[in-house]
Amino acid sequence: MRLVEAAFGILGATALRLDGVLDAEWESPKPKAMLAALLVAPGRTLPGEALARWVWSQEQPPPTRTTGALDTYATRIRKLLKRLPVTATLRGHRGTYRLDTDRAAIDYFQFRDLVATAQRHFRDGRSAEAAHYADLALRLSRGRPLDDLRSAGALAWRGRFERDELIPAHTTHLSALIDLGRADEALVLLDDLQSEHQESLALHKARLVTLHALDRAEEASEYYLHVYRQLRTEGDPQAADHLRRHYESLITRAHSAPWAAPKEYHPPRQLRFDVHDFVGRADQLSQLDTLALDDDGTPVRGVVVLEGMPGVGKTSLAVHWGHRRRTHFPDGDLFIDLHGYSGTPAATQASVIDELLLGLGEEPDAYATRARAAALRRTLANRHTLVVLDNARNSDHVRELLPLLAECLVVVTSRNSLTALGAKYNARRIQVKPMSEAESTSLLGTRLGADSDPGLRAEVVRLCGGLPLVIAVVGQNIAEYRLRRDHAGVAPRRLLLELGIDADGDNSPQTLFTWSYRALPQAPRRLFRLLGLHPGTEFSVAAAQACWGRDEAETGAALTTLVGSNLVERTDSLDRFRLHDLIGECAGNLATTDEPVELRHAAERRVLAFYLATATAAHHALYPDSDPGPPFELPTQVSPLDFADADAGRTWLAVEHSTLMNATAVAAAAGHHDLAWRLPHAMGVYLEQFGYHEDYQRALQTAVTSAGADGDEEAEAATLADLGRSHMTLGRLREAQQCLHQAMVFADKSGNQRGQCASRFSLGRIAILVGDTAAGVRLLGESLELARATDDTEAKRWTHYELGDALRLAGDLNKALLHLLEAQQHAAEAGDDYALALVLAGISAVSLAQGEHEKAASFGIEAMNAAEASRNAGAIVTTCTALAEVELATGAWSAAELLATRAVSLAERVHDVPVHARAAEVLGDVLAAQGRHAQARRTWLEADELYHRLGSTAGRHRVYTKIVDLSR
C-alpha cells in the first residue's frame, strides 16, 4: 500500500496542506469545525442542524440564522480548497452541505485503511507486516484527533474514534510486537498509552498479555488484582468480570493446552451459500467485526441485530460475514430462517429448538418437550458457535430463544427495529442502509457482465435505489425488463416491482415488500398505503395527517410503527420522514388495490389541498401585498400550516420545493385540475425570486392545461400571462409574446381589467427588450391607467418602475424620475425590498445619466442594501450592475469590476437572461476601460449571444458597436 501525503488532517488539530505544509492555523475555530464535520463524512450531505453541533459549543450557542453563518464559513473554506494539491468541492444547497474529495486525501481514512490492512495481516499470521502497517497508521497521529475543537459533535466523534478505532489499532500493534518476540518494546509503548487512556479495558488486557509474554506472572497477578478491585469499587462489575475471565484464560493457557472439542464432535456448518461476488458493505462488515469479535479475535458472546428495510441485503450481509469469520467459530455455525416475513408461517420456538438440536447432531425426539430447551443450552455450553436467526418478525419472535443461546454469538436479522432486545439482552444493533450508487453499479455488473449497455445499467441502478434484492431480480430478468419497458408502456418503477413472477414462483419485490405491509396493525397499514399517494418521497407529520385525515397523535403513533418496521425512514429532522422510491411505489400500488376508489380520491385531494393551502400561507408570510390566486374550498380534516414570519415561510418553501412541483403534476394527472392550476400561482413569486425559472415554467405549462380542463377561462388567461412572463425571463420572447397576446385577447374580450393590466405590462417589457422603446412606453402607460382604475397597489408600483426605466432608455429623464419616485413610495409603503431595490437602481441610473455621480452612487448603495435584504438573486444582479456602471463612470475600475463580476456570476445561476445579458455587457465595458481588450471582446460576445437568445436587436447593435470601436 502506497501512502501519499494527506491534504486534510483531523488526527490532531484540523489542518490543510497549504504550500506543501500541513497547516493547522489556516482559519478560526468555527470554519475549522465545519470542515472537520464534513471531512469525517466526505461525499455525504449534511444538514445545517448537524453541522451546528460541530461548530457551536454549549457555551457559544448558534446564531438565530445558522445557515447564513455556515454559508459564510463555506465561502471562506472554498477559497482555501483551491490551494490544495487535490480536487475538493464544497457544495451548499438549501441549508445542506457536502464535501466531495478523494477519501485517500484525508489522514483519518488513510489511518482506517492502514489499520484494516494491519488487522488482516495479523489474522493471517503475518505479524511483521501487521506491526509495520499498524505503526504507519499510528504515525499519522499529530496529537488528539480534532484537538482544537470543543463542540459537542467534535467531542463525541473524538471519543468514539479513540474508543472504537485508535485503541484497537494500538492493540493490533502490540499483539504483533508480542508475536515477534518484542514484548519489552510493547510494554514501553503501553506505559505511554495508559497514561493517556487510563480507563481502557482493552489496554488493561493488553498489559496482562504483555507481562505474561515476558514471564512476569507475579507482576501480572498484582496488576490484575489492582485493576479488578478498582473496577469493582468504581461500580463497573461487568468490566471487572470481563477482565477476570481474560486473566483466567491467560493462567489456563500458561499451565495447559487450550481446550479442544471432543473428537466425536463434528462442528455444524449450516450457513447458506455465500454470495460469490459479494459487493460493498465495508462499513457494516467492519461494524460486525468490532461488535462480534474481541480485540484478539475471540468471538464475543451476545446478540447483534441487523435491521433494515425489505430487500436491503441483511441476510446476505450476515451470511457473508459468517463465512469470512468462520475460523473464529471453531465449534460451528447454525442458520435458521424464522420466516417472520414470508408466505410461510412463522417458525415457532419449539420448531427452532428442534432444528438447532438436529444441526448439532442431537435427536430432539430423545428428549421430552420441556427438556429440549435444556438440552440445547447444555449442548452449546463452552462452545464458540455462531447462530444466525434470519428474518425475525419482532423481538417477541426470538426473546425466549436467546437465553438458550447465551454461550453463542447470535446474529439476528429483521425488518423491524428490535429495540426491546437492546434493553433486555444488551443487543448491539446495526442499521443496514441501501447500497451506494457505486456499490449498486458494481453489483449489477456482476449480474449482467461487462458487455451490458452502460445506459441500461445506469437506469437500473437509479431505479433500484440501492436495494440488492431488486438489483438481483432485475439482473436475472433483464431481457423481460427491457422488452416490457420498451413495449408494454408500464412505468419503470412499477415494472421493477412486478419482475420475478414466473412458473417457479413469485419472487417479485412487490410481494417481498407486501409481506411487511400485511404484518402491520390496521391503522399503520392504511396510513402506509395512503402515503403512496403523497406527491414526494419526503413528508412531514402534518402532510401524513392530511393523507389519512387523522389527528397528530394518531399519525405520530402510526408513523412510529412504520419507522420501526423499516418501511418509513426518519430523516435528520425530528418531524420529517422519507419513503424509499420503490417502497413508495409499492405503497401506491397497494392504495390502488386495497383502498376504495372514492376514499383514494378523497385522500389524494386532502394531501394536495394541504400543500396548496400551506404554500398560500407561506406566500402571504413572504409577500403580504401580493395575490397568490383565487381561494378554494379546503376539504375537511385538513389543517394547513401557518407561518410566524417571512423566514419560516421561505424555509418551508425551500424544503418542500420538489414536493410542490410533483404535487402540480400529480394533481393534473389525477384530475384535480382546480388544484393543479392554483399550485403554481401559490408558489410562483417564490420560484421567480429565487431563480427557479425552469421549474416555474414547467409548472405553469401544466397549469394552463389544467385550467382549460377545469373550464375556468379566466384562470387559463391569467396562467397564460404568467407563463408569458416566465418565457420572457428565460429569454424566449417569441413564446412569451404568443402567451401574452392570448391572455390579452381574453382579458379585452371579458373586460377583466386586472388581466388587461398584466398582459400589457409584460408586453411592454418585451417591446423594450427588443428595442421598440416607443411601443414599450405606450403599453406600460396603458397598463398604469388600468392599475389605477383597479387600485391595484402591487401593479402600480411595478408599472411605475418599468415605465420609469423605459422613459430613461428613451431619454426622457425627468419623466422617468417622476415615475421611479412614485414607485419608490409604493414599494416603501408595501415593505417590498425586492421592488425597492430595483426602483433605487433605476433612480441611480437616471442620476448617472444626468451626470450626478455622487447621487447615483448613494442610490446605488441603497439599492444594494435593499437587494441583500430581499435575498432575491435577480435583484442583487440588477443592483450590482447599476452600481458597477456608476463606479465605471467615476473611474473606480477595480470596484466596478468586482461588482460586475459578481453580477455575471450570480446571473449564471439564476437563469434570468435579460439581467444576465446586461450584466455581461457592463462587465465588458469595465474590462475595455482598463485596456483589457481581449477579455472585453470575449465578454461582449457572451452578452451578444444572450441578446441573440432574447431577440433583442437593440442590445446586439449596442454590443456590436462597442466591439467594432474596440478594433479601431
Side-chain angles (χ1 to χ4, degrees):
M1 178 184 295
R2 188 173 66 87
L3 195 62
V4 298
E5 286 189 326
F8 300 94
I10 55 177
L11 301 182
T14 312
L16 294 177
R17 189 166 296 282
L18 302 173
D19 303 322
V21 177
L22 205 56
D23 183 359
E25 304 297 330
W26 56 276
E27 250 294 358
S28 57
K30 289 184 174 56
K32 293 172 75 174
M34 180 178 182
L35 180 61
L38 294 164
L39 286 172
V40 301
R44 178 181 167 194
T45 299
L46 299 180
E49 298 92 329
L51 288 174
R53 292 193 292 272
W54 281 72
V55 175
W56 287 278
S57 62
Q58 290 183 338
E59 294 76 20
Q60 293 181 310
T64 305
R65 295 186 176 181
T66 306
T67 302
L70 291 175
D71 283 342
T72 300
Y73 302 152
T75 300
R76 286 152 62 176
I77 292 169
R78 287 188 189 102
K79 292 179 181 177
L80 288 162
L81 294 181
K82 296 176 182 176
R83 296 171 52 191
L84 295 180
V86 297
T87 301
T89 306
L90 174 53
R91 306 178 192 278
H93 182 59
R94 299 181 189 170
T96 64
Y97 305 85
R98 188 180 79 200
L99 180 71
D100 291 321
T101 192
D102 184 359
R103 288 187 171 214
I106 306 169
D107 62 357
Y108 167 56
F109 290 98
Q110 292 183 353
F111 173 89
R112 292 183 66 179
D113 289 344
L114 288 166
V115 171
T117 302
Q119 290 173 340
R120 185 173 66 253
H121 281 305
F122 187 71
R123 286 192 296 269
D124 293 342
R126 294 189 291 271
S127 297
E129 291 87 345
H132 170 69
Y133 282 106
D135 183 58
L136 286 177
L138 294 168
R139 286 178 185 275
L140 291 172
S141 175
R142 294 172 290 109
R144 296 199 72 185
L146 306 179
D147 196 34
D148 49 340
L149 305 183
R150 298 292 179 270
S151 60
L155 292 175
W157 185 87
R158 179 194 301 157
R160 186 203 63 76
F161 169 76
E162 291 182 338
R163 181 186 66 248
D164 299 340
E165 298 188 72
L166 182 62
I167 296 297
H170 278 295
T171 55
T172 298
H173 187 217
L174 295 168
S175 299
L177 291 176
I178 292 169
D179 270 9
L180 294 169
R182 294 158 60 186
D184 51 347
E185 187 179 335
L187 191 62
V188 173
L189 293 173
L190 270 168
D191 289 339
D192 291 336
L193 276 172
Q194 290 190 285
S195 66
E196 289 186 39
H197 306 283
Q198 298 176 7
E199 298 179 357
S200 171
L201 183 62
L203 294 181
H204 288 314
K205 291 167 63 179
R207 192 174 195 90
L208 290 174
V209 172
T210 306
L211 291 172
H212 272 278
L214 292 168
D215 293 326
R216 291 158 66 170
E218 186 175 345
E219 186 178 342
S221 176
E222 291 176 2
Y223 182 79
Y224 157 69
L225 289 172
H226 169 73
V227 177
Y228 178 81
R229 293 188 189 111
Q230 187 178 40
L231 291 171
R232 300 285 298 185
T233 303
E234 292 173 355
D236 195 351
Q238 198 171 20
D241 192 49
H242 189 82
L243 184 70
R244 177 184 58 77
R245 292 197 303 272
H246 176 70
Y247 178 69
E248 289 173 354
S249 72
L250 291 175
I251 298 296
T252 302
R253 214 177 294 165
H255 293 89
S256 64
W259 176 89
K263 290 182 180 179
E264 63 272 21
Y265 177 72
H266 300 287
R269 295 299 180 192
Q270 292 191 337
L271 285 177
R272 289 182 174 180
F273 287 116
D274 193 9
V275 178
H276 175 64
D277 296 313
F278 189 87
V279 170
R281 302 300 193 193
D283 287 344
Q284 287 89 353
L285 290 168
S286 176
Q287 280 182 279
L288 276 166
D289 283 342
T290 301
L291 296 178
L293 302 176
D294 213 336
D295 296 337
D296 57 1
T298 303
V300 176
R301 292 177 171 88
V303 182
V304 176
V305 179
L306 301 179
E307 303 169 353
M309 66 178 66
V312 80
K314 304 176 292 295
T315 302
S316 295
L317 173 63
V319 170
H320 181 68
W321 180 83
H323 279 283
R324 276 172 43 123
R325 298 292 174 252
R326 204 166 226 180
T327 57
H328 295 265
F329 298 94
D331 299 312
D333 46 69
L334 299 158
F335 182 95
I336 304 292
D337 186 349
L338 299 175
H339 299 292
Y341 296 91
S342 70
T344 305
T348 63
Q349 178 176 324
S351 67
V352 172
I353 291 173
D354 285 356
E355 194 170 343
L356 288 169
L357 283 171
L358 284 169
L360 290 163
E362 299 287 329
E363 290 294 334
D365 292 342
Y367 302 98
T369 302
R370 299 181 66 179
R372 291 177 185 173
L376 176 63
R377 184 161 191 168
R378 184 178 62 253
T379 304
L380 289 171
N382 298 317
R383 289 179 177 170
H384 287 307
T385 308
L386 170 65
V387 179
V388 178
L389 299 178
D390 186 46
N391 201 7
R393 192 181 189 94
N394 49 36
S395 294
D396 288 339
H397 201 172
V398 296
R399 193 192 309 271
E400 302 305 320
L401 284 169
L402 295 180
L404 310 180
L405 309 174
E407 296 290 311
C408 308
L409 172 68
V410 184
V411 177
V412 183
T413 76
S414 180
R415 301 182 184 188
N416 251 326
S417 295
L418 307 186
T419 52
L421 297 187
K424 185 169 183 179
Y425 295 106
N426 194 29
R428 292 142 292 178
R429 298 159 57 203
I430 297 175
Q431 188 73 24
V432 183
K433 299 282 189 180
M435 301 178 89
S436 68
E437 182 179 343
E439 290 174 329
S440 299
T441 302
S442 179
L443 176 60
L444 185 63
T446 66
R447 300 294 187 270
L448 300 183
D451 297 331
S452 59
D453 175 16
L456 180 64
R457 284 205 307 269
E459 174 187 321
V460 170
V461 165
R462 176 177 56 81
L463 292 171
C464 289
L467 297 184
L469 180 137
V470 183
I471 294 172
V473 169
V474 179
Q476 292 166 355
N477 299 273
I478 193 66
E480 180 186 353
Y481 172 78
R482 188 187 289 110
L483 181 66
R484 293 182 63 189
R485 180 199 61 179
D486 294 341
H487 301 291
V490 181
R493 282 202 174 89
R494 183 172 181 179
L495 174 54
L496 287 188
L497 292 175
E498 295 173 354
L499 290 176
I501 303 175
D502 54 30
D504 198 35
D506 183 353
N507 297 301
S508 66
Q510 176 76 27
T511 299
L512 174 83
F513 297 154
T514 302
W515 287 335
S516 292
Y517 163 76
R518 300 296 180 201
L520 292 168
Q522 188 62 40
R525 188 188 304 181
R526 182 162 192 254
L527 175 58
F528 174 71
R529 66 176 177 261
L530 291 179
L531 286 172
L533 306 175
H534 184 270
T537 55
E538 278 198 19
F539 54 90
S540 63
V541 174
Q545 282 181 252
C547 279
W548 71 335
R550 301 288 185 88
D551 63 28
E552 184 176 357
E554 288 180 286
T555 305
L559 284 171
T560 298
T561 300
L562 293 176
V563 170
S565 300
N566 283 298
L567 289 171
V568 169
E569 180 184 5
R570 194 183 295 275
T571 70
D572 292 325
S573 179
L574 184 63
D575 71 336
R576 288 188 67 77
F577 300 84
R578 181 186 297 114
L579 272 174
H580 186 280
D581 287 340
L582 281 175
I583 289 183
E585 184 75 24
C586 170
N589 292 343
L590 291 166
T592 302
T593 58
D594 292 10
E595 191 76 9
V597 174
E598 64 278 6
L599 295 182
R600 187 171 74 245
H601 184 83
E604 284 173 348
R605 189 162 186 83
R606 278 196 306 270
V607 71
L608 293 168
F610 164 79
Y611 279 108
L612 173 56
T614 306
T616 301
H619 176 99
H620 282 308
L622 269 170
Y623 317 109
D625 197 38
S626 174
D627 180 12
F632 70 101
E633 185 178 348
L634 191 66
T636 56
Q637 301 174 306
V638 175
S639 301
L641 303 176
D642 53 16
F643 302 98
D645 52 35
D647 279 346
R650 184 184 297 109
T651 299
W652 186 85
L653 286 167
V655 169
E656 302 292 2
H657 178 124
S658 61
T659 299
L660 289 167
M661 293 298 300
N662 290 339
T664 304
V666 168
H672 302 283
H673 294 295
D674 58 328
L675 303 180
W677 66 255
R678 282 179 168 87
L679 272 161
H681 293 286
M683 57 179 169
V685 180
Y686 166 81
L687 292 175
E688 280 191 307
Q689 292 203 7
F690 285 85
Y692 299 112
H693 301 297
E694 295 281 3
D695 283 356
Y696 187 34
Q697 185 172 97
R698 283 198 304 274
L700 286 170
Q701 286 168 336
T702 301
V704 168
T705 304
S706 282
D710 197 35
D712 192 324
E713 291 185 346
E714 188 172 331
E716 187 176 3
T719 308
L720 275 169
D722 287 342
L723 181 57
R725 288 193 302 104
S726 177
H727 278 306
M728 180 168 52
T729 300
L730 290 167
R732 301 162 186 164
L733 297 190
R734 183 177 301 172
E735 294 91 334
Q737 284 178 315
Q738 291 173 349
C739 292
L740 290 164
H741 274 298
Q742 289 182 57
M744 187 170 69
V745 167
F746 174 83
D748 290 345
K749 179 181 176 182
S750 63
N752 183 323
Q753 289 184 310
R754 286 181 181 270
Q756 292 172 319
C757 174
S759 55
R760 281 167 172 76
F761 173 84
S762 296
L763 285 168
R765 289 184 62 204
I766 291 175
I768 292 164
L769 284 171
V770 299
D772 192 349
T773 308
V777 169
R778 175 179 57 79
L779 286 163
L780 288 167
E782 293 173 9
S783 176
L784 182 58
E785 291 304 316
L786 288 161
R788 286 169 173 161
T790 57
D791 196 27
D792 186 334
T793 56
E794 183 182 16
K796 281 192 285 188
R797 70 171 173 269
W798 283 107
T799 312
H800 272 300
Y801 160 66
E802 290 289 354
L803 186 54
D805 211 40
L807 289 165
R808 176 183 66 82
L809 293 172
D812 196 341
L813 299 181
N814 291 329
K815 280 188 181 179
L817 189 57
L818 288 174
H819 283 289
L820 289 168
L821 290 172
E822 187 81 14
Q824 181 186 8
Q825 181 179 343
H826 285 298
E829 289 173 353
D832 188 343
D833 287 326
Y834 171 44
L836 185 61
L838 298 184
V839 170
L840 290 169
I843 296 174
S844 174
V846 170
S847 301
L848 181 61
Q850 292 174 332
E852 299 178 357
H853 292 172
E854 189 173 336
K855 184 178 176 182
S858 176
F859 278 109
I861 292 168
E862 282 189 62
M864 178 66 72
N865 292 336
E868 297 284 2
S870 75
R871 298 188 186 180
N872 184 286
I876 295 172
V877 173
T878 300
T879 53
C880 279
T881 304
L883 197 52
E885 289 188 274
V886 176
E887 298 289 7
L888 175 61
T890 59
W893 294 339
S894 295
E897 183 178 353
L898 283 172
L899 288 161
T901 301
R902 184 188 180 197
V904 170
S905 176
L906 189 55
E908 288 171 348
R909 300 209 304 267
V910 300
H911 309 298
D912 189 327
V913 177
V915 298
H916 188 182
R918 182 61 186 152
E921 181 183 351
V922 171
L923 179 57
D925 296 345
V926 174
L927 294 169
Q930 297 178 72
R932 293 153 66 182
H933 293 173
Q935 290 175 272
R937 185 179 292 104
R938 283 197 301 271
T939 307
W940 279 332
L941 287 172
E942 291 171 9
D944 178 69
E945 174 60 28
L946 293 165
Y947 282 129
H948 177 63
R949 283 172 56 188
L950 279 170
S952 174
T953 306
R956 296 196 73 190
H957 177 72
R958 199 167 53 243
V959 170
Y960 176 74
T961 302
K962 292 175 181 179
I963 293 173
V964 170
D965 289 344
L966 196 67
S967 302
R968 290 174 179 169

